[in-house]
């Protein structure tokens, strides 16, 4: 059996080979293959990842700036309202003092 294997192996080596030939006209008319969508999946994913990260960072920065601005407005509004309440309290105390001083002395002792 070994002799047959050697002869068969020798025959496959000694066979003549046929080379393919390409004509020049075929090379000029050949077009490159069209790109497929899966070739763009990784770059598109990275672009989406960078864009969404930039959006999140810029949006959080915008929210922090808006928070600072709104906080200043609310503090100013609360101070204005506190001053208004204090003015009303002062007016009512002044009215109360004036009303008590206008009463007669014996009514002050009997009805407090």
């Amino acid at each position: 059996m070994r002799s047959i294997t050697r002869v068969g192996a020798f025959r496959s080596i000694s066979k003549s080979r046929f080379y393919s030939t390409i004509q020049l006209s075929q090379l000029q008319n050949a077009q490159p293959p069209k790109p497929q969508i899966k070739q763009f999946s990784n770059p598109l994913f990275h672009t989406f990842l960078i864009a969404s990260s930039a959006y999140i960072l810029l949006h959080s920065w915008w929210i922090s700036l808006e928070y600072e601005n709104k906080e200043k407005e609310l503090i100013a509004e609360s101070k204005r309202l506190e001053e208004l309440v204090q003015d009303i309290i002062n007016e009512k105390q002044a009215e109360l003092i004036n009303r008590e001083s206008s009463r007669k002395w014996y009514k002050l002792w009997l009805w407090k």
Side-chain angles (χ1 to χ4, degrees), residues 54-72:
Y55 172 76
I56 289 171
L57 287 174
L58 291 174
H59 189 68
S60 63
W61 183 46
W62 176 269
I63 293 293
S64 68
L65 290 175
E66 189 175 358
Y67 174 78
E68 291 173 4
N69 189 21
K70 191 68 171 176
E71 184 180 23
K72 289 177 186 176

Side-chain angles (χ1 to χ4, degrees), residues 1 8 19 32 35-36 38-39 54 98 105 109:
M1 277 220 184
Y19 295 100
Q36 296 177 351
K38 66 181 178 180
Q39 292 175 337
N98 288 339
W105 64 270
W109 282 19

Side-chain angles (χ1 to χ4, degrees), residues 88-101:
I88 292 172
I89 289 173
N90 291 339
E91 287 177 9
K92 292 297 180 180
Q93 283 180 347
E95 286 179 13
L96 185 62
I97 291 172
N98 288 339
R99 189 181 311 158
E100 286 182 358
S101 65

Side-chain angles (χ1 to χ4, degrees), residues 12-25:
S12 65
I13 293 174
S14 66
K15 286 185 181 178
S16 62
R17 295 187 179 173
F18 296 103
Y19 295 100
S20 62
T21 58
I22 299 175
Q23 296 177 356
L24 188 58
S25 64

